[in-house]
Amino acid sequence: MSIGFGVSTTTQKSYIKNFLKQSKSHNCHEKIKSLQAMWLDSYSSRKYDKVSIEELLFPEKKEYEHNHNPKVKWNNKTHEGIQLIDEFSKGIWRIDTQKQADGSYDFTASVLYNNVYCFQPDAIEHLCIRNYGKDIYKKWKEMVKENIDDLRFLIEKARETINYTCPSVTCCRRSALLCKEVGITVKGDIAFLFPSKVR
């Protein structure tokens, strides 16, 4: 989410404190809830080409790759003005960092589902059960958990690479829990991806 201000601090704790203080003064709570509802609705209603169950449960896993300033053509008008800065991918996971039109930073952690990178776990569950059934969804979820170390690896690589902090709205409670599980600091509905130098 773009709040449109920058905070210059030396520690994670002080950055988060100042960020949340300014977020409160900008009355961002309602904006965050609106964003989360929009993501759930938008991604739950999308139409994807169905892949085979074998492709869904045994996707091709990519070797580690990092792209700086990759070229991207946004299909969604809400993404216009967003600059993709760094893209990290490994296995079935991807982390993107972006610079918003207002100059603020953001990041997205996505998982490969149906040959598309998705970031809204509730929407993925809805789509998977609708297209393949509950048993296949459970198997897909188990496969994702078995590959969670690749996401941890990407977080470390991202932190070693970036020299800017990315605060990002978590899309739901499960998203926040995943961030915490893999070492991303979460306060309230905001996840913070810090450079390694910021302690």
Side-chain angles (χ1 to χ4, degrees):
M1 174 181 173
S2 305
I3 296 175
F5 55 85
V7 182
S8 181
T9 56
T10 55
T11 68
Q12 292 186 18
K13 188 175 180 180
S14 58
Y15 181 100
I16 291 170
K17 182 179 178 180
N18 286 334
F19 185 94
L20 296 179
K21 181 179 178 181
Q22 292 188 48
S23 296
K24 191 173 182 180
S25 70
H26 283 72
N27 196 22
C28 290
H29 180 74
E30 290 305 315
K31 294 177 185 175
I32 288 172
K33 294 305 175 189
S34 176
L35 252 183
Q36 291 173 329
M38 182 271 290
W39 285 330
L40 178 59
D41 180 64
S42 174
Y43 287 93
S44 294
S45 60
R46 290 198 176 184
K47 305 289 183 186
Y48 297 107
D49 292 333
K50 281 180 65 175
V51 299
S52 70
I53 290 174
E54 185 175 353
E55 287 176 289
L56 182 74
L57 299 180
F58 303 98
E60 182 181 347
K61 295 172 185 174
K62 296 184 177 180
E63 295 296 320
Y64 170 67
E65 189 175 355
H66 168 229
N67 292 307
H68 182 64
N69 289 331
K71 291 182 180 180
V72 60
K73 185 177 180 181
W74 301 115
N75 294 323
N76 195 326
K77 287 189 176 182
T78 60
H79 291 51
E80 289 178 4
I82 298 175
Q83 175 193 354
L84 198 56
I85 304 174
D86 286 291
E87 181 183 87
F88 306 87
S89 56
K90 186 176 192 300
I92 59 171
W93 295 97
R94 185 171 77 187
I95 293 179
D96 299 327
T97 62
Q98 309 105 32
K99 191 170 187 178
Q100 307 294 316
D102 65 5
S104 63
Y105 293 95
D106 196 357
F107 80 95
T108 304
S110 305
V111 66
L112 193 63
Y113 167 76
N114 217 30
N115 286 338
V116 179
Y117 284 101
C118 301
F119 70 91
Q120 219 296 352
D122 293 334
I124 294 171
E125 179 178 6
H126 172 79
L127 291 168
C128 193
I129 291 174
R130 185 180 71 192
N131 291 328
Y132 302 97
K134 288 185 179 179
D135 289 342
I136 296 300
Y137 170 69
K138 286 178 183 176
K139 290 179 180 179
W140 180 84
K141 189 176 175 182
E142 287 170 7
M143 179 273 294
V144 170
K145 287 182 177 180
E146 288 170 1
N147 288 275
I148 199 76
D149 283 343
D150 285 340
L151 179 57
R152 291 189 178 97
F153 173 86
L154 290 179
I155 290 163
E156 289 305 310
K157 288 295 185 182
R159 295 192 69 217
E160 289 169 6
T161 303
I162 63 176
N163 60 4
Y164 47 88
T165 295
C166 297
S168 184
V169 173
T170 57
C171 57
C172 63
R173 182 185 65 84
R174 291 161 75 180
S175 174
L177 290 173
L178 174 64
C179 286
K180 290 176 182 177
E181 182 182 346
V182 295
I184 295 175
T185 303
V186 179
K187 294 294 181 183
D189 290 302
I190 311 293
F192 297 86
L193 182 65
F194 289 99
S196 296
K197 65 182 179 182
V198 180
R199 300 288 181 182

